[in-house]
Amino acid sequence: MMQIRYFKEYSRFLNRDMEFKMYGHDGRFFEWEDRHMFELLQDLIDQGRIQFVTVDSVDLESWSSFDATTPRMEKQENWVQYVMQELLPSAKAKAGKDAGESVMVMGASMGAFHAGNLFFRFPDTFTQVLALSGLYDMSPYFYDGHVDFNAYQNNPCGYLSNMDPAHGYIPKYNRAQAVFVVGQGAWENECAADLRKLADICWSKGIQIQTDFWGYDTPHDWPSWERQIREYLPQMC
């Protein structure tokens, strides 16, 4: 029987309690459960092939806010540090995993942006990524044109464009399993354009990622992501 555990822990980076859930053997963080995604994957969980941790976001205060860029991107970067320095160590300890063990990161829509951003920034930690229907050029969200370091380092197309082709991260990317997927149906135009942009940048730097474009019958919606996760995840765990 699938085990589900809920936790609420204080984050010093975000100055608030943050909630997360863990699924498996020893949006909002509850959205995947609400959408019954874990029921689709219960065979993988029951076989002990994978455990999930669903993390809450601060997107309403960062990417979905129209306030000045600087405080929004400070909030985004604080969330990244929360994930890396608080959530992951806590989740690994609760799962009985070694602190240095690498993990997979995945998500859909804005979750795909976060997955891709974490993968590209921390390739020693994230050696697999599955990103479905994400945005990767975040510059349109810097409404006032002010791009400080927090904004820069949370814009994958921006920092990858400036990456030296001899950078030490590139061999790590190429040893990883990096799968980026998008549909070409309703509401996917912006995400498909961003994935093409990301693919071009990666090709120019010698970064080998898998980019899959599904058909025009594949909209930006949960049924598409359900099909895609069942297609790709069994091959990755």
Side-chain angles (χ1 to χ4, degrees):
M1 182 176 180
M2 178 167 54
Q3 182 182 37
I4 304 174
R5 293 179 286 168
Y6 163 82
F7 301 94
K8 178 187 287 188
E9 296 179 350
Y10 180 77
S11 168
R12 62 186 174 88
F13 288 99
L14 295 169
N15 193 30
R16 68 181 72 171
D17 287 332
M18 291 293 287
E19 298 167 287
F20 65 96
K21 282 188 172 183
M22 298 182 66
Y23 299 77
H25 302 309
D26 277 328
R28 292 302 310 276
F29 73 103
F30 48 74
E31 188 169 20
W32 277 45
E33 182 180 7
D34 287 353
R35 296 286 182 172
H36 306 287
M37 293 292 273
F38 296 112
E39 294 175 18
L40 294 175
L41 305 169
Q42 187 160 351
D43 57 334
L44 303 179
I45 297 171
D46 288 346
Q47 293 164 23
R49 292 171 59 182
I50 193 167
Q51 295 185 58
F52 288 89
V53 179
T54 57
V55 56
D56 217 347
S57 77
V58 293
D59 288 348
L60 290 176
E61 301 161 71
S62 55
W63 301 107
S64 297
S65 169
F66 289 91
D67 291 341
T69 298
T70 295
R72 291 192 295 113
M73 292 303 100
E74 181 179 14
K75 183 71 69 176
Q76 161 65 18
E77 183 58 25
N78 284 342
W79 180 86
V80 169
Q81 296 307 315
Y82 153 71
V83 170
M84 298 304 299
Q85 299 191 44
E86 296 177 335
L87 174 69
L88 278 178
S90 178
K92 287 182 180 181
K94 290 175 172 62
K97 302 295 184 180
D98 184 80
E101 186 170 335
S102 62
V103 296
M104 178 193 298
V105 62
M106 62 184 296
S109 195
M110 277 303 294
F113 153 71
H114 289 300
N117 190 44
L118 289 169
F119 167 72
F120 287 120
R121 288 185 57 181
F122 305 102
D124 289 317
T125 299
F126 301 104
T127 55
Q128 293 177 294
V129 56
L130 176 58
L132 310 175
S133 301
L135 295 172
Y136 308 105
D137 179 5
M138 308 308 286
S139 57
Y141 290 84
F142 307 146
Y143 306 114
D144 54 15
H146 183 68
V147 182
D148 61 9
F149 186 63
N150 285 333
Y152 176 80
Q153 66 180 345
N154 285 285
N155 181 17
C157 283
Y159 58 71
L160 289 173
S161 293
N162 292 326
M163 181 172 281
D164 187 328
H167 196 289
Y169 277 8
I170 293 179
K172 296 177 181 181
Y173 298 151
N174 292 341
R175 288 193 295 267
Q177 189 175 18
V179 181
F180 291 78
V181 184
V182 72
Q184 298 181 84
W187 314 298
E188 283 280 54
N189 289 346
E190 188 177 2
C191 294
D194 263 28
L195 185 54
R196 291 187 184 95
K197 184 180 298 185
L198 178 68
D200 287 345
I201 293 168
C202 287
W203 181 86
S204 73
K205 303 294 181 178
I207 299 170
Q208 299 160 14
I209 62 172
Q210 178 179 337
T211 55
D212 289 355
F213 292 80
W214 285 39
Y216 295 99
D217 59 344
T218 308
H220 187 97
D221 203 359
W222 282 99
S224 303
W225 304 326
E226 291 169 3
R227 292 165 50 208
Q228 290 163 352
I229 198 171
R230 282 301 307 174
E231 172 74 20
Y232 293 99
L233 196 59
Q235 306 170 38
M236 300 178 73
C237 65

